[in-house]
Amino acid sequence: MAKIVLVDDHILLRNGLAALVQKLGHNVLFEANNGKEFIAQLDKNNLPDIILLDINMPEMDGYETAQWIKKNYPVIKILALSMYDNENAVIRMLKHGARGYILKDSEPSELKAAVNAILGKGYYYSDLVSGKLVSAINNMDDVDNNLIVINTLNEREIEFLKYACTELTYKEISEKMCVSPRTIDGYRDLVYEKLNIKTRVGLAVYAIRNKYVNVG
């Protein structure tokens, strides 16, 4: 049985989530409306195993909260639970230490699978986040092999990689790099091919893994 904390400003949804978590055999340690409430209630002598963390909240949102947890209590595993299914949201939560990411309209069976996977393996993968990519950011055993792969990129491709880890669109990246959008498409395709990945989330995880971007 895991100790779980729920941080979400939608009370009705949170109540339903609490009932589901308890039905799955886990203990809801406490609930909070936002990151500030979470920090105020957190007991360092009785830490949760997992925090189910919403992204869009008042006062202190999920990104800030995840960043605070990663810095102060990295032992707490974060499962992002959000309505956002875009790559930027996933990338930002991964950068701030999330071990999994599921949507609020997911089936109860997916929540069960996510919690069990995080408890057992340390991460959870879904259609949004490849397990291979998430495990790469959490397991550092073969870091040298990945550094060899990423070092095959030239300077401009590395520059593109860093921009790809931001919230900039590809058009905005082309403006930053003073090249055409078509050239950026070329950089993207080459980097995808060299790293053998297929998504922008994948670019971000490799960049984080190999310290090409600041995850602090």
Side-chain angles (χ1 to χ4, degrees), residues 4-8 17-18 21 32 50-54 57 77-81 102 111 114-115 118:
I4 295 178
V5 167
L6 311 178
V7 183
D8 192 311
L17 190 59
V21 166
I50 297 176
I51 172 175
L52 300 186
L53 183 61
D54 187 20
M57 300 179 293
K77 297 177 175 65
I78 301 168
L79 174 60
L81 185 66
I102 64 174
L111 176 63
V115 170
I118 289 174

Side-chain angles (χ1 to χ4, degrees), residues 127-144:
D127 289 341
L128 284 175
V129 184
S130 162
K132 181 179 180 181
L133 297 175
V134 179
S135 63
I137 198 173
N138 287 301
N139 298 296
M140 305 299 288
D141 293 339
D142 57 346
V143 64
D144 290 339

Side-chain angles (χ1 to χ4, degrees), residues 146-170:
N146 281 291
L147 284 170
I148 292 171
V149 171
I150 204 157
N151 282 337
T152 63
L153 303 179
N154 62 39
E155 288 185 8
R156 290 293 274 175
E157 289 165 349
I158 291 172
E159 183 181 3
F160 163 77
L161 177 64
K162 292 178 180 179
Y163 279 126
C165 298
T166 69
E167 297 182 53
L168 295 174
T169 65
Y170 286 127

Side-chain angles (χ1 to χ4, degrees), residues 8-184:
D8 192 311
D9 61 321
H10 295 94
I11 297 175
L12 287 177
L13 187 149
R14 198 176 70 219
N15 288 345
L17 190 59
L20 177 58
V21 166
Q22 291 169 339
K23 185 177 179 180
L24 294 175
H26 303 294
N27 177 39
V28 177
L29 206 55
F30 63 85
E31 302 176 27
N33 284 308
N34 54 58
K36 285 187 177 180
E37 285 193 10
F38 164 76
I39 292 171
Q41 295 185 68
L42 190 64
D43 180 359
K44 66 179 181 180
N45 296 314
N46 187 25
L47 295 175
D49 300 301
I50 297 176
I51 172 175
L52 300 186
L53 183 61
D54 187 20
I55 293 179
N56 187 21
M57 300 179 293
E59 295 192 61
M60 187 174 182
D61 65 16
Y63 301 122
E64 295 175 277
T65 306
Q67 191 172 22
W68 185 90
I69 292 169
K70 183 178 180 180
K71 179 179 179 181
N72 294 279
Y73 294 99
V75 68
I76 300 175
K77 297 177 175 65
I78 301 168
L79 174 60
L81 185 66
S82 177
M83 291 300 297
Y84 300 142
D85 62 355
N86 62 77
E87 287 186 341
N88 286 336
V90 175
I91 289 170
R92 288 186 68 182
M93 288 305 291
L94 286 176
K95 287 175 70 175
H96 292 324
R99 301 296 189 92
Y101 191 113
I102 64 174
L103 299 179
K104 286 186 176 181
D105 60 359
S106 299
E107 294 292 332
S109 58
E110 181 167 11
L111 176 63
K112 179 180 180 180
V115 170
N116 289 342
I118 289 174
L119 289 172
K121 298 185 292 185
Y123 65 88
Y124 171 71
Y125 57 88
S126 64
D127 289 341
L128 284 175
V129 184
S130 162
K132 181 179 180 181
L133 297 175
V134 179
S135 63
I137 198 173
N138 287 301
N139 298 296
M140 305 299 288
D141 293 339
D142 57 346
V143 64
D144 290 339
N145 290 335
N146 281 291
L147 284 170
I148 292 171
V149 171
I150 204 157
N151 282 337
T152 63
L153 303 179
N154 62 39
E155 288 185 8
R156 290 293 274 175
E157 289 165 349
I158 291 172
E159 183 181 3
F160 163 77
L161 177 64
K162 292 178 180 179
Y163 279 126
C165 298
T166 69
E167 297 182 53
L168 295 174
T169 65
Y170 286 127
K171 183 177 185 299
E172 290 168 337
I173 293 173
S174 73
E175 294 170 356
K176 289 281 188 180
M177 295 183 66
C178 300
V179 297
S180 70
R182 181 171 294 181
T183 299
I184 290 298

